[in-house]
Amino acid sequence: METKGKLYIETYGCQMNFSDTQIVNSIMTDHHFETTPHIEDADLIFINTCSIRDNAEKRVRARLQEFKRYKKQKPGLVIGVLGCMAERLKEQLIEQEKMVDVIVGPDAYRDLPRLLDVAETGQKAINVMLSADETYADISPVRLDGNGVAAFISIMRGCENFCSYCVVPFTRGRERSRDPKTIVDEAAGLFNEGFREITLLGQNVNSYKDDNGNGFPGLLAQVAAISPELRVRFATSHPKDLSDELLQTMAAWPNICRSIHLPVQSGSDRILKLMNRKYTREWYINRIQAIKKYLPECALSTDIISGFSSETEEDHQQTLELMRYVGYDYAYMFKYSERPNTLAAKKHKDDVAEEVKSRRLKEIIDLQQKLSLKSNKQDIGKTCEVLIENESKKSKNELSGRNSQNKVVVFPKGNQQPGEYVQVKITACTPATLRGIIVEA
Ligand code: 5AD
Ligand code: SF4
């Protein structure tokens, strides 16, 4: 069958968005569109967008301006905005950005072929309906750009935690879990294709529940049981729901990676309450202690927001102190960005001055650099198992992979290939990378 046109997709935001792009690829190729990595060749340009912070939206808007150029060269070119910004702004976005033809929210991707038919007649097309049950469970993601070694599988959609700063519950809707059989089948299929690492994705994987009431630990064990040669990771965990059962399951399966991403956001109880995080500093520390008890080798990473509404110097110091106590291996750190219509936008004034937010963020980043370096230095002299992913970005004579703790490890190439496991003795490090040499197992 003849192709209906060439599609180019650009993706911004979280892993969930990248995973959604693979669903869109699949829907579009099933409907006889071809994908292209070259924007100049495209008849359709999709941009899968993020609303998490104001600068994420600004980046997308700047990119849309650049797309105008392609539209001038090819008047029939269709531009579609997908994802969280589509959902948040709806029709408004077409009024503001005239080059946009199609607007599609995260739960409406099955409707894309119809929306494109509408757009072909010259009308603007929009579907931003959220769904209580759409999980795209039957759609096999088309993974175009990847290394063929590590893949993401989304196991649930949406979020109902309503952290007061966060736009996600509004853009991604109700929380729903995907049928476990389709998840395990997809993972097994990927393993048979040669993939060796699966990351199970959800906004809060700890609240995964299938129709029979089985939770996340059971699902994780089923995926881990596919093969000892398959590594399993997951993200993200909400501290309020991190159970001992999950930690026991991890301890029982060596191929479940020793790394937990546990966003803390703030070290101050007062701020945690305003953020509606539903846990205290004490609860969080108790979860960290449980991780250390069951999984002494486990790496810890986190997300931190600086300068949330009313944050004082003392609140900020409590965040720094908690970071030191936990000794995070890695962190994603952000300045608070007020999002329209969130609980915080309605109730908690964005009253920390920009310079104060920036200075606190810098202190958080500087501390994390030190903690990462300290953690990496402790690995020098140790030998760890590394799953090779690709050639190192800096040198063709080096390979790069990650260890179970999710640390990037770079080492000189022998005759090994991506997808193989090797034992690497660590000899040097920076805050971001471990270096080493291959040793016999
Ligand atoms: N401003 C700044 N950071 C935010 N995050 C979520 N919403 C906001 C916001 N409004 C951060 C949180 C979350 C991560 C994905 O993004 O730390 O864990
Ligand atoms: Fe992902 Fe949140 Fe950004 Fe949406 S707003 S793309 S859920 S990070």
Side-chain angles (χ1 to χ4, degrees), residues 412-428:
K413 203 183 218 168
N415 48 13
Q416 304 78 13
Q417 299 298 323
E420 288 176 22
Y421 289 98
V422 283
Q423 296 291 323
V424 177
K425 183 169 181 190
I426 305 305
T427 54

Side-chain angles (χ1 to χ4, degrees), residues 263-325:
V264 66
Q265 314 298 358
S266 168
S268 151
D269 276 338
R270 194 181 65 82
I271 295 293
L272 287 171
K273 199 158 175 54
L274 292 182
M275 287 177 162
N276 195 29
R277 288 290 287 175
K278 305 184 187 97
Y279 56 84
T280 59
R281 180 187 172 96
E282 186 186 354
W283 170 274
Y284 187 90
I285 288 175
N286 168 284
R287 293 296 75 206
I288 295 291
Q289 286 168 344
I291 294 170
K292 294 196 168 167
K293 177 174 108 188
Y294 290 109
L295 304 160
E297 310 261 87
C298 191
L300 287 160
S301 58
T302 199
D303 294 347
I304 297 175
I305 299 177
S306 88
F308 185 68
S309 173
S310 82
E311 187 189 70
T312 63
E313 224 37 55
E314 191 187 331
D315 295 319
H316 169 61
Q317 288 303 327
Q318 287 183 9
T319 298
L320 294 172
E321 193 195 297
L322 188 62
M323 289 173 70
R324 280 186 215 104
Y325 172 82

Side-chain angles (χ1 to χ4, degrees), residues 1 25 40 113-114 126 309 314 350 430:
M1 168 131 184
N25 281 334
E40 319 76 57
R114 185 191 69 81
I126 168 161
S309 173
E314 191 187 331
D350 183 13
T430 67

Side-chain angles (χ1 to χ4, degrees), residues 180-222:
K181 185 174 180 305
T182 66
I183 298 169
V184 177
D185 287 352
E186 189 175 330
L190 287 167
F191 180 73
N192 289 334
E193 281 174 41
F195 283 84
R196 289 293 173 268
E197 184 181 297
I198 299 291
T199 303
L200 303 176
L201 278 185
Q203 240 72 37
N204 176 13
V205 293
N206 301 107
S207 57
Y208 177 89
K209 266 231 160 4
D210 72 17
D211 287 346
N212 299 317
N214 300 313
F216 184 61
L219 175 71
L220 190 60
Q222 278 187 66

Side-chain angles (χ1 to χ4, degrees), residues 12-17 49-52 84 166-168 171-172 203:
Y12 294 80
C14 61
Q15 281 309 333
M16 189 62 86
N17 246 22
T49 61
C50 175
S51 287
I52 198 97
C84 290
C166 190
V167 76
V168 176
T171 61
R172 289 190 165 269
Q203 240 72 37

